[in-house]
């Protein structure tokens, strides 16, 4: 048996111009029932939108009308009927029903409102995420996120990248850091991986040349900010015979492609969210870390303490600098390049002429980091030195270092946080809005 006959169309697939008079079957949720005496409307909702089911009392079978009125909100129903073009109805048509079948009744009261009439706190919404996701704004975010990931995959395939999957259970830290979740692995301790970095680099030694992965990264940071998650989705690439400049070019083109595609293919979702996308201009502006310090020290008077080479660009400075760039260029996206070697992980390539700076970059959106990347140290001795200079033990990187002794090409790559990309694109206040089921310090369920 198949249940596919419960639907001939998604709501948005009906075109009033060509489908007027056609028999259709729609299935979805009872969004709303409006009984105006002489006329009764049931609004049926599926992920693509809403359809108005119209019953004029005098012309409608009494039993059908009675069934319609008895439905509780958010119950699952199936409606068979005839399409009638109606410019005033949502999507330009209404359905004149012949049958309405209750498929599964929803209990009431509902844990939260889905109509947008009652505001709920983010926490309440996340506690009841399954139903929050029925709200058209929430659905819109994830339809767009779906397009973002689709466009990225397409763009990377077109540029000869192959999709890979690397382990999330690992024996050692990527960067020797402490921000790791330990797990018990039979009789040993293991960790959830914080980044596919080491694995994607090993694949360069395997000759895969251009790889990407869209997968989870785990960070045991005790942050409670609007931009940090403890489980995030990283869009990671690594490419051979490439330096940081080549990698930045791929990254900025990928971002523009995503903006173009979302703009073109998700216009309805953007409209629901009230967002108009401005396609970023290529190439993105590049500021070296030292340019940034100069500007902060000389052109941004709000920052009182002068910054020196090697200092972290703190939150306030990052914020003001992002505003500075936007005011100056009208663009939100930009790169900060040539970071001090000591502020970047050991795998970033030190600059050949000035080893105190690295061939690394961050890609920023206004005040937020969207991506970090670099040309990588591909020479065994350079890499071992870098590991030691970070106070780490070369022996604990044995599995990673071995490939560097047996034919490792020059390479580079980046990681972009998918949630931050969606968050900045859609001007969301909190990164949690861009994750189906966020994981943070306080939230482990649902
Ligand atoms: P930040 O300094 O903003 O915490 P990071 O430098 O630690 O970020 P990277 O290790 O460079 O992050 O990871 C690459 C990208 O992955 C980041 O630019 C960001 O977009 C995303 N990312 C990293 N950590 C998180 C997190 N905890 N929550 C959400 N996204 C993250
Ligand atoms: Mg970073």
């Amino acid at each position: 048996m198949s249940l596919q006959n419960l639907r001939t169309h998604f709501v948005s697939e009906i075109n009033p111009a060509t489908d007027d008079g056609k028999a259709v079957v729609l299935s979805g949720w009872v969004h709303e029932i409006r009984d105006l005496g002489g006329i009764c409307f049931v609004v049926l909702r599926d992920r693509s939108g809403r359809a108005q089911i119209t019953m004029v009392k005098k012309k409608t079978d009494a039993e059908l009308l009675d069934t319609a009125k008895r439905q509780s909100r958010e119950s699952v129903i199936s409606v068979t009927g005839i399409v009638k073009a109606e410019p005033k109805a949502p999507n330009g048509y209404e359905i004149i029903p012949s049958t309405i079948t209750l498929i599964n009744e929803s209990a009431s009261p509902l844990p939260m409102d889905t109509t947008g009439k009652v505001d709920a706190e983010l926490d309440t919404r996340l506690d009841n995420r399954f139903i929050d996701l029925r709200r058209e704004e929430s659905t819109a975010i994830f339809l767009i996120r779906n397009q973002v990931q689709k466009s990225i995959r397409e763009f990377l395939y077109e540029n000869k990248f192959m999709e890979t999957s690397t382990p999330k259970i690992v024996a050692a830290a990527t960067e020797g850091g402490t921000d790791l979740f330990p797990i018990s692995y039979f009789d040993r301790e293991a960790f959830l991986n914080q980044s596919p970095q080491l694995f994607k680099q090993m694949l360069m030694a395997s000759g895969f040349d251009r790889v990407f992965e869209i997968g989870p990264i785990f960070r045991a940071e005790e942050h409670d900010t609007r931009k940090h998650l403890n489980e995030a989705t990283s869009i990671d690439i690594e490419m051979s015979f490439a330096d940081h400049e080549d990698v930045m070019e791929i990254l900025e083109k990928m971002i523009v492609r995503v903006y173009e595609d979302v703009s073109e293919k998700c216009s309805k979702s953007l409209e629901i969210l009230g967002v108009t996308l401005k396609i970023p201009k290529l190439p993105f502006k590049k500021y070296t870390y030292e340019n940034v310090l100069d500007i902060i020290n000389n052109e941004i008077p709000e920052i009182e303490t002068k910054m020196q080479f090697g200092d972290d660009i703190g939150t306030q400075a990052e914020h003001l600098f992002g505003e500075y760039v936007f005011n100056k260029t009208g663009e939100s996206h930009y790169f900060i390049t040539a970071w001090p070697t000591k502020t970047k992980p050991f795998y970033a390539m030190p600059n050949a002429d000035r080893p105190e700076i690295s061939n690394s970059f961050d890609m920023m959106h206004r005040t937020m980091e969207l991506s970090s990347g670099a040309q990588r140290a591909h020479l065994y001795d350079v890499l071992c030195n870098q590991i030691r200079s970070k106070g780490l033990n070369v022996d604990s990187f044995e599995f990673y270092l071995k490939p560097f002794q047996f034919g490792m090409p020059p390479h580079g790559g980046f990681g972009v946080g998918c949630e931050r990309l969606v968050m900045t694109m859609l001007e969301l206040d909190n990164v949690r809005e861009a994750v189906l089921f966020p994981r943070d310090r306080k939230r482990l369920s649902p």
Side-chain angles (χ1 to χ4, degrees):
M1 201 190 90
S2 160
L3 293 182
Q4 288 292 294
N5 59 354
L6 287 179
R7 181 196 338 259
T8 55
H9 294 75
F10 274 99
V11 161
S12 68
E13 288 170 342
I14 294 175
N15 179 350
T18 51
D19 294 328
D20 190 48
K22 203 172 183 172
V24 296
V25 187
L26 298 180
S27 288
W29 286 258
V30 176
H31 184 71
E32 216 180 358
I33 298 177
R34 272 180 287 143
D35 184 3
L36 308 177
I39 191 162
C40 176
F41 300 110
V42 173
V43 179
L44 175 145
R45 189 192 67 241
D46 66 24
R47 82 167 192 211
S48 76
R50 296 175 197 165
Q52 175 175 299
I53 318 299
T54 305
M55 286 153 285
V56 177
K57 208 172 233 171
K58 282 189 203 145
K59 297 189 199 162
T60 308
D61 175 69
E63 206 175 314
L64 179 67
L65 192 63
D66 193 48
T67 313
K69 285 187 194 170
R70 270 190 287 110
Q71 304 306 328
S72 60
R73 272 180 47 210
E74 297 304 320
S75 291
V76 178
I77 58 167
S78 187
V79 175
T80 306
I82 303 291
V83 177
K84 188 171 155 227
E86 171 50 68
K88 280 182 286 186
N91 296 304
Y93 69 87
E94 57 188 6
I95 302 289
I96 311 301
S98 51
T99 60
I100 296 180
T101 312
L102 174 62
I103 293 176
N104 204 347
E105 187 172 15
S106 168
S108 56
L110 296 167
M112 59 170 278
D113 173 66
T114 53
T115 61
K117 287 176 184 154
V118 188
D119 269 344
E121 295 288 331
L122 183 57
D123 261 332
T124 312
R125 290 176 39 213
L126 293 177
D127 287 342
N128 299 286
R129 192 59 153 162
F130 77 95
I131 202 160
D132 173 59
L133 294 170
R134 294 182 192 175
R135 294 167 55 250
E136 61 176 359
E137 295 83 359
S138 298
T139 308
I141 292 171
F142 291 96
L143 288 173
I144 290 172
R145 181 173 160 152
N146 170 60
Q147 182 61 51
V148 167
Q149 294 190 192
K150 182 165 184 253
S151 295
I152 286 174
R153 283 201 165 86
E154 284 170 0
F155 173 84
L156 291 172
Y157 287 141
E158 286 161 21
N159 283 280
K160 304 189 178 70
F161 285 82
M162 60 190 263
E163 183 161 13
T164 56
S165 301
T166 62
K168 303 307 153 204
I169 302 177
V170 295
T174 304
E175 294 169 28
T178 51
D179 298 330
L180 285 165
F181 288 112
I183 57 169
S184 77
Y185 190 73
F186 304 106
D187 54 353
R188 277 181 286 172
E189 185 178 53
F191 302 94
L192 293 177
N193 206 5
Q194 61 192 174
S195 155
Q197 184 63 32
L198 306 187
F199 294 100
K200 57 181 188 164
Q201 284 193 263
M202 286 193 285
L203 295 177
M204 296 300 99
S206 305
F208 282 11
D209 219 279
R210 291 183 173 208
V211 299
F212 79 96
E213 173 163 1
I214 302 180
I217 55 170
F218 302 92
R219 307 273 167 117
E221 299 154 343
E222 298 206 6
H223 291 130
D224 184 12
T225 75
R226 55 182 209 99
K227 61 177 184 178
H228 286 101
L229 296 159
N230 292 109
E231 177 176 351
T233 307
S234 182
I235 301 153
D236 258 276
I237 75 137
E238 204 66 28
M239 59 195 285
S240 287
F241 306 103
D243 67 7
H244 51 302
E245 298 287 343
D246 302 314
V247 172
M248 280 189 274
E249 197 179 325
I250 290 282
L251 176 54
E252 63 187 5
K253 285 186 176 155
M254 184 178 96
I255 298 295
V256 168
R257 168 65 169 274
V258 165
Y259 271 68
E260 284 172 349
D261 281 3
V262 169
S263 198
E264 185 191 322
K265 296 175 179 163
C266 303
S267 52
K268 191 173 160 209
S269 297
L270 289 170
E271 194 185 312
I272 288 169
L273 295 167
V275 172
T276 314
L277 289 189
K278 179 176 164 291
I279 315 288
K281 264 213 288 294
L282 286 171
F284 292 1
K285 185 113 173 96
K286 293 187 179 108
Y287 299 88
T288 66
Y289 166 85
E290 285 162 296
N291 291 154
V292 176
L293 290 199
D294 274 348
I295 293 170
I296 289 174
N297 286 340
N298 300 313
E299 296 185 50
I300 304 182
E302 290 95 323
I303 311 255
E304 282 160 15
T305 19
K306 294 271 180 231
M307 290 185 58
Q308 287 178 354
F309 185 86
D311 287 352
D312 248 357
I313 303 178
T315 315
Q316 189 204 12
E318 198 169 80
H319 196 88
L320 293 168
F321 186 75
E323 294 306 316
Y324 169 93
V325 174
F326 184 72
N327 292 334
K328 200 122 192 147
T329 66
E331 291 292 322
S332 299
H333 296 85
Y334 61 97
F335 286 108
I336 303 180
T337 64
W339 289 82
T341 304
K342 70 167 201 188
T343 65
K344 283 288 169 189
F346 63 79
Y347 46 78
M349 177 74 115
N351 185 280
D353 302 322
R354 288 184 62 200
E356 72 279 14
I357 61 170
S358 54
N359 290 347
S360 61
F361 60 86
D362 281 0
M363 199 263 289
M364 310 291 296
H365 176 280
R366 298 270 196 121
T367 61
M368 196 176 329
E369 179 193 315
L370 289 189
S371 174
S372 285
Q375 178 183 6
R376 320 297 188 186
H378 67 287
L379 302 173
Y380 181 77
D381 292 338
V382 174
L383 190 55
C384 290
N385 277 337
Q386 292 264 107
I387 291 176
R388 282 190 212 99
S389 74
K390 301 277 171 194
L392 298 169
N393 185 354
V394 169
D395 296 339
S396 52
F397 289 94
E398 197 189 342
F399 82 93
Y400 166 68
L401 285 172
K402 202 169 180 180
F404 289 79
Q405 294 171 291
F406 298 95
M408 176 64 94
H411 61 279
F414 61 73
V416 179
C418 183
E419 292 81 12
R420 287 195 193 170
L421 177 58
V422 172
M423 173 192 186
T424 48
M425 172 179 246
L426 302 180
E427 300 164 39
L428 305 173
D429 291 335
N430 195 310
V431 72
R432 290 163 183 77
E433 297 273 7
V435 201
L436 289 171
F437 302 102
R439 291 288 172 260
D440 62 29
R441 179 98 174 76
K442 297 186 201 104
R443 184 170 292 280
L444 190 53
S445 123

